[in-house]
Amino acid sequence: MKCLFIILDGLGDRGISDWNQNTPLQKAHTPTLDYLASVGANGSLTALCKGAPLPSEIAHFLIFGYAIEDSPGRGVIEALGYDFEVSFDEVYILVKLLSVKEIDDTLYLAEEKPPADEETIMSLIDDIRYFRHKGIEVEFKPTHGIDGILKLSGNVSSQISDSNPIFNGRPLLQIESLKGAENLDAANQTAEVLNKYILWAHLKLASNPLNSKRKDLGLPPINAVATQRAGKLKKIKSFEEKWKLRSEAFVSSALYTGIGKIFDMKVHRFNIKDPYEDLLAKLKEAVESEKDFCFVHTKAPDVAAHTRIPENKVKVIESLDSALGKILPELDFNETLLAITADHSTPSVGDMIHSGESVPLLMVGKYLRRDKVVNFDEISCLYGSLGEVRGNEIMSMILDFMDRADLYGLQYGQCPLRISRDKSLG
């Protein structure tokens, strides 16, 4: 038996007052998901704890049965996803160009996503690409648009705070070492160098002639950088070593490519913009796979929610449901355990980036107890037979329903016992 594990990123949402407190998932027409709910077992998933908004990488680590401490940090995960050569001695940090205003000697975020063409962006990045101070080298590696990754080499630590305040009108933050940093000297030095780099970059960008041209055109200046989510590669157990399942990942973005690489999965990366076509292509390949565990991911619900137009999320959910419907006839639930859930809720209303509500979970397979749920949504699934599930329980449940879970407490050795020809045995 194999497992087809589908994560509909950011699927969960909040009640919307104009819709009688229904969510986009409740509002959407989802005959395939509702059918699967009616023939399977349903529940509610909270990756960490109720009310805790999680970034996607942390949610995925928890769902795949790893500890938060196992995550090497978003920066290095994305660096792997962009196929950068990554060293255990280097630190990688997400960085972006942005627009700031100087008020009382303090830089305030004015526009986190200033519009700019690729030629302008690359010219500005070239102006601040390399920086060196106290033996630490900083390199700005562009990824897409105004975003990039800083690579830090030298005596560096990833245990530092962020400088990006995220929300317009807030000041850029001084980078500090985190409390309890393993190498405090390295963390302090890394923070000091990055603070100097950010100030240096501001001076360089503010005086760049391109910003004078932007001012003449009525465009906001691109005159600063901000950092967040430092990461440093670490050794963790591969997914196969941890769960004894041969695995493949069917993903799109750099983050999920990096997650697949961190877990040593075989990664298939797709570049299809249409949500329906993207999910359908991934599902077709996953169904044909001979691996034990196929992880299929789509970012579409999360992206739609970030538009802050709930109707966009409804349309995306309906298109994903249609893609699932196309593949449904090819699934034999005596041979395949199907699991569908989300990593977190992404509200399509309000100001939160992600929110801490639980997300729906369904499983369909040979050995599951069928419950009475007939709709797949955040409320209906609460009444299912799987109950309230934590992230670190999902993989154990999957092994159980695949008929591959070991009896708790058994201690297996690593090597088979060989027949001995030793005469002393009698």
Side-chain angles (χ1 to χ4, degrees), residues 54-65:
L54 296 179
S56 291
E57 73 279 9
I58 295 299
H60 277 73
F61 266 76
L62 292 169
I63 289 170
F64 286 129

Side-chain angles (χ1 to χ4, degrees), residues 260-323:
K261 288 182 177 182
I262 286 286
F263 296 148
D264 201 23
M265 295 177 170
K266 182 178 180 181
V267 178
H268 303 264
R269 187 166 182 180
F270 295 74
N271 186 25
I272 304 173
K273 291 184 178 181
D274 181 75
Y276 170 86
E277 297 293 345
D278 173 67
L279 182 58
L280 183 59
K282 291 170 181 172
L283 289 172
K284 284 181 176 179
E285 289 200 24
V287 168
E288 294 298 321
S289 170
E290 296 182 357
K291 298 291 187 181
D292 305 310
F293 185 90
C294 294
F295 163 46
V296 176
H297 179 275
T298 172
K299 186 75 169 171
D302 182 76
V303 173
H306 285 307
T307 67
R308 296 300 192 237
I309 302 173
E311 290 82 1
N312 289 349
K313 193 169 184 179
V314 171
K315 291 177 182 178
V316 163
I317 291 170
E318 291 178 344
S319 70
L320 299 178
D321 185 82
S322 296

